[in-house]
Amino acid sequence: MEFIHDDFLLHSKMARRLYHGYAANEPILDYHSHLPAMEIASDRTFRNLFESWLEGDHYKWRAMRANGIAEKYCTGDASPYEKYLAWARTVPFTLRNPLYHWTHLELKRYFGIDDLLNEGVAKSVWDRASAVLQSDGFSAQGILQKFAVRVVCTSDDPCDDLSHHQAIASTQRGFCVYPTFRPDSALAIQLPEAFRAWLGRLEKASNKNVDSLREFLDALKQRHEFFHAHGARLSDHGLSYCYAAPCTEREAGAIFDKARAGLPVADAEQEKFGSFMMLFFGHLDAAKGWTKQLHLGVLRNVNTRKYREIGPNTGFDTIGDWSHVNALCSYLDRLDQENALPKMIVYNSNPADNYAFATAIGSFQDGALAGKIQLGSGWWFLDQKEGIEWQLNALSNTGLLSRFVGMLTDSRSFMSFPRHEYFRRILCNLIGREAENGELPSDERLLGEFVRNLCFENARQYLGLALPNG
Ligand SMILES: [Zn+2]
């Protein structure tokens, strides 16, 4: 039997009935990704597996380095085919790493290829995949249609002019692409030079002078409204930990003036300023009925030599071990007390904190909206079978899994849509197993509806994004 067969990961009869009967055919609402809107707008085509599959994939680079592959073949100047070949040589050594599942699921779903990738079949797989990529229906837009993707949310700087989103919106193709307001640069005052350059961009984008904190806030509010007018209903923040240091507007104004003047700011000032800004952003989202996402806990660029050689986002980040819960609760509590707690999805990167995060968010549900505060799907290092099950279990045991908004790709690649299938199979396997054990009732309709909601419907209702054709 081929490795990726119809019942891959589905170990019971009920799991198979749930997956095939209720999950497999649900469309995709990919509410958090890093797909470049430009590539969707221009309907990018891919010449070969390197372009569609390896370009920029730091998960693969980490595995290749761990397998003794030189940097030249990861981020260096080797040719695209040499890099692909180095990856193909590495794949047999990724057994039990999620990359082994993802690789073969992707080869199967995009190209119908069942071979187990290794050096011996590498050339044949490259040739067959390249031929498919050049056929009709494998452009960026073709891939969205092929995988029944109804909505993609990209991640965008507040200064982005959203021209690509506008271009996509003008050609109704069965999917919608919405921006996500991601103002990480607005907090990055510890790098004064970059911050000042970014302020220049903000002035241009908002057509406003930004000489004071008040003007800074006004410009950001205007950009938030601009995103809203282009269909955005989500914001996102990537933070080491949630900022929750008390900070008055006056203090924040003084820190802003310092950063704007290009002066260095102390860590404590950065934290105070970040706390002030995160409350401001919470108010913006609450006023517009948006959903705020918090991606917490990754310790970035820990390898100084590699950072100097090849820069950020190249696979040298790790799970951090900050103490999160006090700060997260303070943040949610402060917004709640100011009657400005927006819908929120909180992503945790450290499995040790799953239960703590799950109970923290559970303390701020308020009856106005089912599942108002969400424990985000297994993220980054936890975006794999075990991590997904841990997240599902922590949420089930402390809250309501039935209100969960489900999976997202969080990907920069158009080859990642089978991650939704992977999640659905893991979910159905978990539910099916407990039905067979007698821990859940063997009521296929009850369980089927539950599963179906987690695939698409909960996200649709919760996020309030307009779907194609109404
Ligand atoms: Zn992301």
Side-chain angles (χ1 to χ4, degrees):
M1 197 198 308
E2 65 269 33
F3 178 49
I4 305 294
H5 54 80
D6 283 354
D7 295 330
F8 175 61
L9 299 179
L10 304 171
H11 303 309
S12 67
K13 207 166 130 194
M14 182 60 96
R16 294 189 281 273
R17 294 177 75 93
L18 291 174
Y19 178 72
H20 296 297
Y22 300 88
N25 295 325
E26 285 298 292
I28 288 176
L29 201 167
D30 204 29
Y31 58 88
H32 177 67
S33 86
H34 298 269
L35 288 176
M38 183 180 70
E39 295 187 4
I40 304 174
S42 65
D43 201 16
R44 180 181 177 189
T45 53
F46 306 92
R47 281 176 299 179
N48 54 48
L49 267 184
F50 174 79
E51 290 183 0
S52 66
W53 210 30
L54 273 81
E55 222 178 56
D57 188 341
H58 52 75
Y59 289 82
K60 290 189 178 74
W61 295 338
R62 279 174 79 100
M64 289 162 78
R65 291 176 193 127
N67 199 41
I69 302 276
E71 197 60 45
K72 175 182 175 186
Y73 299 97
C74 304
T75 60
D77 60 2
S79 72
Y81 186 74
E82 286 174 320
K83 287 177 173 172
Y84 161 76
L85 198 59
W87 166 240
R89 274 190 201 119
T90 299
V91 169
F93 293 91
T94 66
L95 283 169
R96 294 204 82 240
N97 185 289
L99 284 162
Y100 199 81
H101 282 172
W102 296 341
T103 292
H104 294 101
L105 195 55
E106 288 157 13
L107 287 176
K108 174 84 172 182
R109 292 292 172 254
Y110 286 80
F111 311 115
I113 290 174
D114 281 312
D115 301 36
L116 298 181
L117 187 55
N118 58 41
E119 189 173 4
V121 300
K123 176 75 170 70
S124 154
V125 167
W126 173 272
D127 289 342
R128 279 178 284 160
S130 299
V132 173
L133 283 169
Q134 282 157 35
S135 63
D136 277 353
F138 280 84
S139 62
Q141 294 189 8
I143 288 170
L144 297 185
Q145 287 162 336
K146 178 177 164 59
F147 284 90
V149 179
R150 296 284 179 267
V151 174
V152 173
C153 294
T154 58
S155 300
D156 306 275
D157 187 279
C159 302
D160 194 292
D161 67 5
L162 305 184
S163 58
H164 301 300
H165 294 83
Q166 285 171 25
I168 298 162
S170 67
T171 60
Q172 182 61 261
R173 301 290 301 268
F175 54 81
C176 294
V177 179
Y178 297 119
T180 298
F181 190 79
R182 178 142 175 166
D184 289 356
S185 297
L187 307 186
I189 55 171
Q190 73 282 20
L191 301 168
E193 223 165 282
F195 182 68
R196 277 155 60 91
W198 185 78
L199 282 181
R201 288 187 61 206
L202 181 63
E203 288 188 322
K204 215 171 141 205
S206 62
N207 203 20
K208 283 177 187 296
N209 286 334
V210 179
D211 297 327
S212 66
L213 178 66
R214 212 2 83 193
E215 289 173 348
F216 182 55
L217 302 181
D218 286 346
L220 286 166
K221 183 163 185 281
Q222 191 228 62
R223 297 311 295 164
H224 194 271
E225 281 163 5
F226 180 77
F227 272 55
H228 189 85
H230 287 80
R233 295 294 181 269
L234 291 113
S235 65
D236 185 28
H237 306 267
L239 302 172
S240 304
Y241 55 93
C242 204
Y243 296 127
C247 179
T248 63
E249 181 161 345
R250 203 188 155 127
E251 288 175 302
I255 299 167
F256 175 84
D257 291 343
K258 221 169 142 179
R260 195 182 154 275
L263 299 170
V265 291
D267 288 352
E269 289 175 316
Q270 206 268 329
E271 183 155 347
K272 273 174 138 334
F273 185 72
S275 305
F276 179 86
M277 292 304 298
M278 285 303 293
L279 286 172
F280 170 75
F281 289 130
H283 277 265
L284 288 187
D285 290 344
K288 284 270 192 286
W290 284 24
T291 301
K292 179 176 286 309
Q293 300 172 97
L294 300 178
H295 283 91
L296 301 178
V298 171
L299 181 61
R300 291 175 192 265
N301 309 318
V302 296
N303 185 325
T304 303
R305 182 170 59 82
K306 288 292 189 179
Y307 181 75
R308 286 187 185 139
E309 281 170 19
I310 50 181
N313 303 318
T314 49
F316 299 97
D317 308 311
T318 181
I319 293 173
D321 59 356
W322 290 280
S323 173
H324 287 280
V325 177
N326 261 339
L328 176 62
C329 287
S330 297
Y331 180 55
L332 297 176
D333 189 38
R334 181 79 188 269
L335 286 171
D336 188 61
Q337 289 190 48
E338 294 175 5
N339 201 22
L341 181 62
K343 293 181 283 182
M344 206 176 293
I345 306 174
V346 185
Y347 302 88
N348 164 42
S349 69
N350 189 331
D353 294 332
N354 272 346
Y355 268 71
F357 269 61
T359 52
I361 63 136
S363 302
F364 292 91
Q365 310 289 12
D366 72 1
L369 173 72
K372 179 176 175 180
I373 313 293
Q374 293 271 327
L375 181 67
S377 191
W379 168 54
W380 202 321
F381 298 103
L382 305 183
D383 176 15
Q384 28 80 3
K385 183 167 181 280
E386 190 173 52
I388 288 169
E389 289 177 347
W390 283 337
Q391 186 270 352
L392 294 171
N393 287 333
L395 179 56
S396 299
N397 285 312
T398 62
L400 298 183
L401 181 61
S402 52
R403 294 298 186 179
F404 176 41
V405 294
M407 189 58 175
L408 52 134
T409 60
D410 200 355
S411 178
R412 287 165 175 75
S413 164
F414 288 90
M415 292 283 284
S416 296
F417 289 109
R419 299 289 179 85
H420 286 269
E421 174 186 342
Y422 195 62
F423 169 83
R424 291 173 189 186
R425 287 177 183 270
I426 291 163
L427 172 68
C428 290
N429 188 50
L430 193 74
I431 305 299
R433 184 174 64 215
E434 292 182 1
E436 304 242 331
N437 289 344
E439 294 171 33
L440 289 172
S442 279
D443 181 333
E444 189 183 316
R445 284 188 56 183
L446 175 71
L447 300 181
E449 209 47 40
F450 173 59
V451 161
R452 199 197 316 259
N453 287 341
L454 267 65
C455 295
F456 182 82
E457 184 57 22
N458 283 357
R460 184 190 72 77
Q461 285 190 21
Y462 177 84
L463 296 167
L465 292 159
L467 295 184
N469 307 318

Coordinates of all heavy atoms in Angstrom, one line a residue, residues 75-114:
T75 N 20.8 28.0 2.4 CA 20.5 29.4 2.1 C 21.6 29.9 1.2 O 21.5 31.1 0.8 CB 20.5 30.2 3.4 OG1 21.8 30.1 4.0 CG2 19.4 29.8 4.3
G76 N 22.6 29.1 0.8 CA 23.7 29.6 0.0 C 23.5 29.7 -1.5 O 22.4 29.8 -2.0
D77 N 24.7 29.6 -2.2 CA 24.6 29.9 -3.6 C 24.6 28.6 -4.5 O 24.9 28.7 -5.7 CB 25.8 30.8 -4.0 CG 27.1 30.2 -3.7 OD1 27.1 29.0 -3.2 OD2 28.2 30.8 -3.9
A78 N 24.3 27.5 -3.9 CA 24.1 26.3 -4.8 C 22.9 26.5 -5.7 O 22.1 27.3 -5.5 CB 23.9 25.1 -3.9
S79 N 22.9 25.8 -6.8 CA 21.8 25.9 -7.8 C 20.5 25.4 -7.2 O 20.6 24.6 -6.3 CB 22.2 25.2 -9.1 OG 22.1 23.8 -8.8
P80 N 19.4 25.8 -7.7 CA 18.1 25.3 -7.2 C 18.1 23.8 -7.2 O 17.6 23.1 -6.2 CB 17.1 25.9 -8.2 CG 17.7 27.2 -8.6 CD 19.2 26.9 -8.7
Y81 N 18.6 23.1 -8.3 CA 18.5 21.7 -8.3 C 19.4 21.0 -7.3 O 19.1 20.1 -6.6 CB 18.8 21.1 -9.7 CG 18.6 19.6 -9.8 CD1 17.3 19.1 -9.8 CD2 19.7 18.8 -9.7 CE1 17.1 17.7 -9.8 CE2 19.5 17.4 -9.7 CZ 18.2 16.9 -9.8 OH 18.0 15.5 -9.8
E82 N 20.6 21.6 -7.1 CA 21.5 21.1 -6.1 C 20.9 21.2 -4.7 O 21.0 20.3 -3.9 CB 22.9 21.9 -6.1 CG 23.8 21.6 -7.3 CD 25.0 22.5 -7.3 OE1 24.8 23.7 -7.0 OE2 26.1 22.0 -7.6
K83 N 20.2 22.3 -4.4 CA 19.6 22.4 -3.1 C 18.4 21.4 -3.0 O 18.3 20.8 -1.9 CB 19.0 23.9 -3.0 CG 20.1 24.9 -2.8 CD 19.4 26.3 -2.7 CE 20.5 27.3 -2.4 NZ 20.0 28.7 -2.5
Y84 N 17.7 21.2 -4.0 CA 16.6 20.2 -4.0 C 17.2 18.8 -3.7 O 16.7 18.0 -2.9 CB 15.8 20.3 -5.3 CG 15.0 19.0 -5.5 CD1 13.8 18.8 -4.8 CD2 15.5 18.0 -6.4 CE1 13.1 17.6 -5.0 CE2 14.8 16.9 -6.6 CZ 13.6 16.6 -5.9 OH 12.9 15.5 -6.1
L85 N 18.3 18.5 -4.4 CA 18.9 17.2 -4.3 C 19.4 17.0 -2.8 O 19.3 15.9 -2.2 CB 20.1 17.1 -5.3 CG 20.6 15.7 -5.5 CD1 19.5 14.8 -6.1 CD2 21.8 15.8 -6.5
A86 N 19.9 18.0 -2.2 CA 20.4 18.0 -0.9 C 19.2 17.7 0.1 O 19.3 17.0 1.0 CB 21.1 19.3 -0.5
W87 N 18.1 18.3 -0.3 CA 16.9 18.1 0.5 C 16.4 16.6 0.3 O 16.1 15.9 1.3 CB 15.8 19.1 0.1 CG 14.4 18.7 0.6 CD1 13.3 18.4 -0.1 CD2 14.0 18.5 2.0 NE1 12.2 18.1 0.7 CE2 12.7 18.1 2.0 CE3 14.7 18.6 3.2 CZ2 12.0 17.8 3.2 CZ3 14.0 18.3 4.4 CH2 12.7 17.9 4.4
A88 N 16.4 16.2 -0.9 CA 15.9 14.8 -1.2 C 16.8 13.8 -0.4 O 16.3 12.8 0.1 CB 16.0 14.5 -2.7
R89 N 18.1 14.0 -0.4 CA 19.0 13.2 0.4 C 18.7 13.2 1.9 O 18.9 12.2 2.6 CB 20.5 13.7 0.2 CG 21.2 13.2 -1.0 CD 22.7 13.6 -0.9 NE 23.2 13.5 -2.2 CZ 23.7 14.6 -2.9 NH1 23.9 15.7 -2.2 NH2 24.1 14.4 -4.1
T90 N 18.2 14.3 2.3 CA 17.9 14.4 3.8 C 16.6 13.7 4.2 O 16.5 13.2 5.3 CB 17.8 15.9 4.1 OG1 19.1 16.5 3.8 CG2 17.5 16.2 5.6
V91 N 15.6 13.7 3.2 CA 14.3 13.2 3.6 C 14.3 11.9 4.3 O 13.6 11.7 5.3 CB 13.4 13.3 2.4 CG1 12.1 12.5 2.6 CG2 13.1 14.7 2.0
P92 N 15.0 10.9 3.8 CA 15.0 9.6 4.6 C 15.4 9.7 6.0 O 15.1 8.9 6.9 CB 15.9 8.7 3.8 CG 16.0 9.3 2.4 CD 15.9 10.8 2.6
F93 N 16.2 10.7 6.3 CA 16.7 10.9 7.7 C 15.7 11.7 8.5 O 15.9 12.0 9.7 CB 18.0 11.6 7.7 CG 19.1 10.8 7.1 CD1 19.4 10.9 5.7 CD2 19.8 9.9 7.9 CE1 20.4 10.1 5.2 CE2 20.8 9.1 7.3 CZ 21.1 9.2 6.0
T94 N 14.6 12.1 7.9 CA 13.5 12.9 8.7 C 12.4 12.0 9.2 O 11.4 12.5 9.7 CB 12.9 14.0 7.9 OG1 12.2 13.4 6.8 CG2 14.0 15.0 7.3
L95 N 12.6 10.6 9.1 CA 11.6 9.7 9.7 C 11.2 10.2 11.1 O 12.1 10.4 11.9 CB 12.1 8.3 9.7 CG 12.1 7.6 8.4 CD1 12.9 6.3 8.5 CD2 10.7 7.2 7.9
R96 N 9.9 10.3 11.4 CA 9.3 10.7 12.7 C 9.3 12.2 12.9 O 8.7 12.7 13.8 CB 9.9 10.0 13.9 CG 9.6 8.5 13.9 CD 9.7 7.9 15.3 NE 8.4 8.1 16.0 CZ 8.3 8.7 17.2 NH1 9.4 9.2 17.7 NH2 7.2 8.8 17.8
N97 N 10.1 12.9 12.0 CA 9.9 14.4 12.1 C 8.7 14.7 11.2 O 8.4 14.0 10.2 CB 11.2 15.0 11.5 CG 11.1 16.6 11.6 OD1 10.3 17.2 10.9 ND2 11.9 17.1 12.4
P98 N 7.9 15.7 11.6 CA 6.7 16.0 10.8 C 7.0 16.3 9.3 O 6.2 16.1 8.4 CB 6.1 17.2 11.5 CG 7.1 17.7 12.4 CD 8.0 16.6 12.8
L99 N 8.2 16.7 9.0 CA 8.6 17.0 7.7 C 8.4 15.7 6.8 O 8.1 15.8 5.6 CB 10.1 17.4 7.6 CG 10.4 18.8 8.0 CD1 11.9 19.0 8.3 CD2 9.9 19.8 6.9
Y100 N 8.6 14.6 7.4 CA 8.4 13.3 6.6 C 7.0 13.2 6.2 O 6.7 12.9 5.0 CB 8.9 12.1 7.4 CG 9.1 10.9 6.5 CD1 10.4 10.8 5.8 CD2 8.2 9.9 6.3 CE1 10.6 9.7 5.0 CE2 8.4 8.8 5.4 CZ 9.7 8.8 4.8 OH 9.9 7.7 3.9
H101 N 6.0 13.4 7.1 CA 4.6 13.4 6.7 C 4.3 14.5 5.7 O 3.6 14.3 4.7 CB 3.7 13.6 7.9 CG 3.6 12.3 8.8 ND1 3.0 12.3 10.0 CD2 4.0 11.0 8.5 CE1 3.1 11.1 10.5 NE2 3.7 10.3 9.6
W102 N 4.7 15.7 6.0 CA 4.3 16.9 5.2 C 4.8 16.7 3.8 O 4.1 16.9 2.8 CB 4.9 18.2 5.7 CG 4.3 18.6 7.1 CD1 3.2 18.2 7.7 CD2 5.0 19.5 8.0 NE1 3.1 18.8 8.9 CE2 4.1 19.6 9.1 CE3 6.1 20.3 8.0 CZ2 4.4 20.4 10.2 CZ3 6.4 21.1 9.1 CH2 5.6 21.1 10.2
T103 N 6.1 16.3 3.7 CA 6.7 16.1 2.4 C 5.9 15.1 1.5 O 5.6 15.4 0.3 CB 8.1 15.5 2.6 OG1 8.9 16.5 3.2 CG2 8.8 15.1 1.2
H104 N 5.5 14.0 2.0 CA 4.8 13.0 1.2 C 3.4 13.3 1.0 O 2.8 13.0 -0.1 CB 5.1 11.6 1.8 CG 6.5 11.2 1.7 ND1 7.4 11.3 2.8 CD2 7.3 10.9 0.6 CE1 8.6 11.0 2.4 NE2 8.6 10.7 1.1
L105 N 2.8 14.0 2.0 CA 1.4 14.5 1.8 C 1.4 15.5 0.6 O 0.5 15.5 -0.2 CB 0.9 15.1 3.1 CG -0.6 15.3 3.2 CD1 -1.4 14.1 3.0 CD2 -0.9 15.9 4.7
E106 N 2.4 16.4 0.6 CA 2.4 17.5 -0.4 C 2.7 16.9 -1.8 O 2.1 17.2 -2.8 CB 3.5 18.5 0.0 CG 3.0 19.4 1.2 CD 4.0 20.1 2.0 OE1 5.2 20.1 1.6 OE2 3.7 20.5 3.1
L107 N 3.7 15.9 -1.9 CA 4.0 15.3 -3.2 C 2.7 14.6 -3.7 O 2.4 14.7 -4.9 CB 5.1 14.3 -3.0 CG 6.5 14.9 -2.8 CD1 7.5 13.8 -2.6 CD2 6.9 15.8 -4.0
K108 N 2.0 14.0 -2.8 CA 0.8 13.2 -3.2 C -0.3 14.2 -3.7 O -0.9 14.0 -4.7 CB 0.3 12.4 -2.1 CG -1.0 11.6 -2.3 CD -0.8 10.4 -3.0 CE -2.1 9.6 -3.1 NZ -1.9 8.3 -3.8
R109 N -0.6 15.2 -2.9 CA -1.8 16.0 -3.1 C -1.6 17.0 -4.3 O -2.5 17.3 -5.0 CB -2.2 16.9 -1.9 CG -2.7 16.0 -0.8 CD -4.1 15.4 -1.1 NE -4.4 14.5 0.0 CZ -4.4 13.1 -0.2 NH1 -4.1 12.6 -1.3 NH2 -4.7 12.3 0.9
Y110 N -0.3 17.5 -4.5 CA -0.1 18.4 -5.6 C 0.2 17.7 -6.9 O -0.2 18.1 -8.0 CB 1.0 19.4 -5.3 CG 0.6 20.4 -4.2 CD1 0.6 20.1 -2.9 CD2 0.3 21.7 -4.7 CE1 0.2 21.1 -2.0 CE2 -0.1 22.7 -3.7 CZ -0.1 22.4 -2.4 OH -0.5 23.3 -1.5
F111 N 1.0 16.6 -6.8 CA 1.5 16.0 -8.0 C 1.1 14.5 -8.2 O 1.5 13.9 -9.2 CB 3.0 16.0 -8.0 CG 3.5 17.4 -7.7 CD1 4.3 17.6 -6.5 CD2 3.3 18.5 -8.5 CE1 4.7 18.9 -6.1 CE2 3.7 19.8 -8.2 CZ 4.4 20.0 -7.0
G112 N 0.3 14.0 -7.3 CA 0.0 12.5 -7.4 C 1.1 11.6 -7.3 O 1.1 10.5 -7.8
I113 N 2.2 12.1 -6.7 CA 3.4 11.2 -6.6 C 3.4 10.4 -5.3 O 3.3 11.0 -4.2 CB 4.7 12.2 -6.6 CG1 4.8 12.7 -8.0 CG2 5.9 11.4 -6.2 CD1 5.9 13.7 -8.2
D114 N 3.6 9.1 -5.4 CA 3.6 8.2 -4.2 C 5.0 7.8 -3.8 O 5.1 7.1 -2.8 CB 2.8 7.0 -4.5 CG 1.3 7.2 -4.4 OD1 0.9 7.8 -3.4 OD2 0.6 6.8 -5.4

